[in-house]
């Protein structure tokens, strides 16, 4: 209640309990230490963020410029996105995965896939129900679950199991109360690639316990040495139980553009679309035209990017291996997931590397409890900088 326009001395902003309950930002300490070093004039190399350093293909930028000049593109767009974009996404799935999608009911554009991922539990999961979440994982699976008042149940990804979930280890009690399961392959942060058998097991569990599967395929196009990651939707019954998230972010160096999509099960997509009519008013149309250009235009930029990432991967892993740090070459993604050498915690090791080598690496613990014992290094810095980082890391070991 407002009294005589006066704000009381005790007036203060108190965050909602649901916001307070979100996990603490575990990289805050490292961020602070990095800023301190930089303010002191130290040259810090940041292998922390997974954000392509390469430019968006020129024809995509040009398409944005052209379409931004057309007043027809200046108004509210539709939540369901341009029909042409949905068709372009369906065509891309057909070409790439031989998966047939109905662009009207089985494809929904998103303001980046993160937006849809974080909102999905709000559309499908009741408070108190479980969401099965890989551990370690991309943080929005867990935070989206918590914002919906649901409970995250961890599926540990271990080296012994090639960083695939051990579905047999999920208790019946949890499975019965689970409404949704997130999966992500190629995986961030472990760089693991899924097998068909893994997806098949997920589908069986989903059918047995009525669980919706949400697979995140953000890195499906970033793979090396002839590896061709599969889509979850390639499995015969996948569309009956789930959806797949994807976006132009990693494939076309478009992380800042914010265009993604979800495709697959029409009921799941309708639920998310209904929620979204209350949250946003669609994607700026020039961005949609640009995404269409990315999906349908010249794909040579992707091949060039892959060659660059592969060269970076090889130089980093080979330098670390030569120094006695046993690190595997990832078959996909833009990350190297490495066991912490010695008995330190991942946080202590990352802190020491920052202080001694002036290189930012991400402690695995920040992605979940099961990420402890590992660190993540991103390949998204210019090759010469990565070479310098490798040399510094070797010296600090
Ligand atoms: C980068 C990334 C995405 C992409 O997010 P957008 O919102 O589409 O930019 C999705 N999932 C994972 C696991 C990622 O690392």
């Amino acid at each position: 209640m407002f009294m005589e326009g006066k704000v009381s001395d005790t007036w203060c902003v108190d965050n909602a309990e649901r916001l307070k309950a979100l996990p603490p930002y575990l990289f805050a300490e490292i961020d602070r230490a990095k800023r301190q070093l930089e303010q002191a004039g130290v040259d810090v190399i940041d292998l922390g963020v997974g954000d392509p350093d390469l430019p968006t293909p020129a024809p995509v930028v040009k398409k944005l410029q052209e379409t931004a000049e057309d007043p027809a593109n200046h108004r509210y767009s539709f939540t369901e996105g341009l029909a042409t974009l949905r068709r372009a996404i369906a065509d891309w799935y057909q070409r790439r995965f031989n998966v047939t999608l109905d662009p009207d009911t089985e494809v929904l554009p998103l303001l980046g896939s993160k937006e849809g991922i974080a909102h999905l539990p709000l559309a499908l999961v009741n408070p108190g129900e479980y969401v099965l979440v890989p551990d370690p994982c991309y943080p929005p699976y867990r935070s989206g679950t918590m914002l919906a008042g649901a409970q995250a149940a961890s599926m540990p990804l271990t080296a012994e199991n090639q960083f695939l979930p051990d579905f047999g280890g999920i208790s019946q009690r949890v499975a019965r109360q689970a409404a949704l399961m997130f999966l992500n392959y190629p995986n961030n942060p472990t760089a693991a690639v899924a097998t068909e058998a893994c997806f098949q097991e997920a589908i069986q569990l989903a059918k047995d316990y009525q669980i919706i599967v949400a697979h995140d395929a953000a890195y499906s196009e970033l793979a090396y040495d002839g590896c061709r990651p599969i889509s979850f939707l390639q499995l015969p019954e996948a569309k009956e139980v789930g959806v797949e998230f994807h976006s132009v972010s990693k494939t076309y160096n478009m992380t800042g553009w914010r265009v993604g999509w979800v495709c697959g099960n029409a009921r799941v997509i309708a639920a998310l679309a209904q929620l979204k009519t209350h949250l946003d008013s669609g994607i700026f149309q020039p961005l949609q035209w640009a995404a269409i250009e990315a999906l349908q235009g010249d794909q040579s930029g992707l091949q060039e990017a892959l060659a660059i990432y592969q060269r970076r991967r090889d130089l980093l892993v080979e330098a670390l291996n030569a120094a006695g740090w046993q690190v595997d070459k990832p078959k996909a993604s833009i990350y190297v997931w490495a066991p912490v050498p010695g008995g330190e915690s991942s946080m202590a090791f990352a802190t020491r590397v920052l202080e001694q080598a002036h290189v930012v690496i991400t402690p695995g613990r920040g992605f979940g409890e099961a990420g402890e014992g590992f660190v993540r290094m991103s390949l998204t810095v210019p090759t010469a900088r990565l070479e310098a980082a490798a040399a510094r890391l070797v010296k600090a070991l």
Side-chain angles (χ1 to χ4, degrees), residues 30-331:
I30 289 194
D31 276 356
R32 203 174 319 115
K34 177 195 167 190
R35 268 198 306 277
Q36 263 176 14
L37 284 169
E38 282 178 337
Q39 274 161 12
V42 174
D43 171 42
V44 177
I45 305 177
D46 193 341
L47 307 186
V49 284
D51 186 356
D53 57 306
L54 307 167
T56 302
V60 176
V61 177
K62 194 147 193 346
K63 182 61 80 177
L64 174 73
Q65 290 170 335
E66 284 167 15
T67 52
E69 289 189 6
D70 182 353
N73 287 323
H74 294 173
R75 313 186 64 187
Y76 284 124
S77 47
F78 300 108
T79 299
E80 69 265 27
L82 290 168
T84 317
L85 175 58
R86 283 184 273 114
R87 161 69 56 199
I89 292 165
D91 287 348
W92 186 83
Y93 257 75
Q94 190 75 63
R95 283 198 305 279
R96 168 64 176 91
F97 298 118
N98 200 23
V99 166
T100 305
L101 296 166
D102 178 343
D104 292 329
T105 58
E106 296 179 334
V107 179
L108 177 68
L110 301 166
L111 304 158
S113 60
K114 183 180 185 179
E115 178 260 309
I117 288 166
H119 284 142
L120 191 68
L122 211 51
L124 294 171
V125 186
N126 291 311
E129 288 180 333
Y130 280 111
V131 175
L132 294 162
V133 171
D135 177 4
C137 77
Y138 181 55
Y141 308 148
R142 197 171 283 273
S143 44
T145 296
M146 296 178 73
L147 288 172
Q151 301 187 65
S154 286
M155 298 185 291
L157 308 182
T158 63
E160 299 77 63
N161 209 32
Q162 285 76 49
F163 301 109
L164 303 174
D166 170 21
F167 295 109
I170 299 167
S171 78
Q172 281 210 5
R173 184 187 65 85
V174 168
R176 280 204 203 99
Q177 293 180 64
L180 178 65
M181 173 199 298
F182 280 108
L183 292 173
N184 164 221
Y185 292 98
N187 185 255
N188 175 13
T190 71
V193 176
T195 57
E196 238 173 79
C198 164
F199 284 157
Q200 192 53 58
E201 266 189 83
I203 290 169
Q204 194 55 53
L205 189 80
K207 288 172 68 177
D208 289 347
Y209 292 95
Q210 305 261 326
I211 299 168
I212 295 159
V213 178
H215 179 247
D216 177 356
Y219 297 96
S220 74
E221 303 316 289
L222 304 185
Y224 317 102
D225 309 327
C227 169
R228 286 292 270 170
I230 56 173
S231 162
F232 174 70
L233 298 177
Q234 276 172 264
L235 278 102
E237 296 165 309
K239 220 196 267 180
E240 288 166 36
V241 301
V243 291
E244 186 157 88
F245 286 93
H246 215 307
S247 85
V248 293
S249 289
K250 307 289 162 52
T251 313
Y252 301 106
N253 309 321
M254 293 176 72
T255 48
W257 297 58
R258 314 312 304 134
V259 183
W261 64 87
V262 59
C263 55
N265 186 281
R267 292 274 323 271
V268 173
I269 283 168
L272 187 58
Q274 188 195 340
L275 175 70
K276 277 169 61 64
T277 60
H278 299 277
L279 297 174
D280 66 70
S281 300
I283 309 167
F284 184 44
Q285 281 185 185
L287 294 171
Q288 299 190 54
W289 291 115
I292 293 164
E293 175 65 32
L295 291 168
Q296 296 186 330
D298 177 16
Q299 303 289 304
S300 60
L302 174 58
Q303 296 314 312
E304 286 162 27
L306 286 175
I308 291 168
Y309 290 139
Q310 181 160 343
R311 193 155 7 101
R312 291 178 184 172
R313 174 198 72 164
D314 291 347
L315 80 82
L316 177 63
V317 172
E318 283 162 20
L320 299 179
N321 283 346
W325 187 0
Q326 287 306 314
V327 173
D328 289 337
K329 277 187 186 179
K331 280 209 211 51

